[in-house]
Amino acid sequence: MSARPKCATCHSGPNFTDEGFHNIGLKGNTDEGRYAKVPVKAMRGAFKTPTLRDIALTAPYMHNGAYRTLEEVVAHYERGGDNQENLDPAIKPLDLTDQDKKDLVEFMRHFQETGWFVTLPRLPQ
């Protein structure tokens, strides 16, 4: 990869989320986001970081459904977002090759759960 994406800054831990709120620079976003509950400038346009678990199954993406595919999501982050107003400082343009982008999407598709199978114990009478 030309530049190392720092996805784990926000998508970390066992649930691949920091449970935080970030403004990622969505074009045309007029929703005030977390600012409605926490009136701090950094929360304007900020939304909770989603888990990456089962991400390939949860389209459309972003709080407003702006992107239909993971490829569109990767392109958004590769550009460093579109709206720079109140952008989270962690969002920076990436210098990804076409192969880097394909690899990143394929990597995210592997966050799919295969299902949980639980055998209930037989309890005494």
Side-chain angles (χ1 to χ4, degrees):
M1 270 188 194
S2 309
R4 289 194 99 150
K6 296 184 178 178
C7 307
T9 301
C10 300
H11 294 283
S12 59
N15 287 322
F16 303 100
T17 176
D18 63 357
E19 304 292 342
F21 293 81
H22 306 276
N23 182 326
I24 60 165
L26 284 176
K27 181 173 29 177
N29 182 39
T30 57
D31 193 323
E32 60 183 13
R34 186 69 175 161
Y35 186 83
K37 293 280 186 193
V38 180
V40 174
K41 183 179 186 260
M43 293 293 107
R44 189 172 299 283
F47 290 87
K48 190 171 183 181
T49 305
T51 179
L52 292 182
R53 290 185 180 274
D54 291 332
I55 195 70
L57 305 175
T58 61
Y61 303 102
M62 307 306 174
H63 75 279
N64 60 0
Y67 300 125
R68 301 256 176 242
T69 68
L70 289 172
E71 289 81 3
E72 291 175 313
V73 173
V74 169
H76 171 86
Y77 285 106
E78 206 269 335
R79 293 188 302 271
D82 295 313
N83 182 354
Q84 302 300 304
E85 184 181 340
N86 207 45
L87 184 67
D88 189 291
I91 306 298
K92 303 278 187 210
L94 303 171
D95 183 25
L96 302 177
T97 66
D98 288 340
Q99 188 61 51
D100 292 339
K101 291 183 242 185
K102 287 178 187 173
D103 291 346
L104 188 53
V105 168
E106 188 60 27
F107 177 72
M108 286 190 288
R109 287 196 170 113
H110 283 80
F111 283 103
Q112 191 166 328
E113 296 289 335
T114 57
W116 295 93
F117 298 99
V118 176
T119 303
L120 295 176
R122 188 173 183 112
L123 299 175
Q125 297 280 342

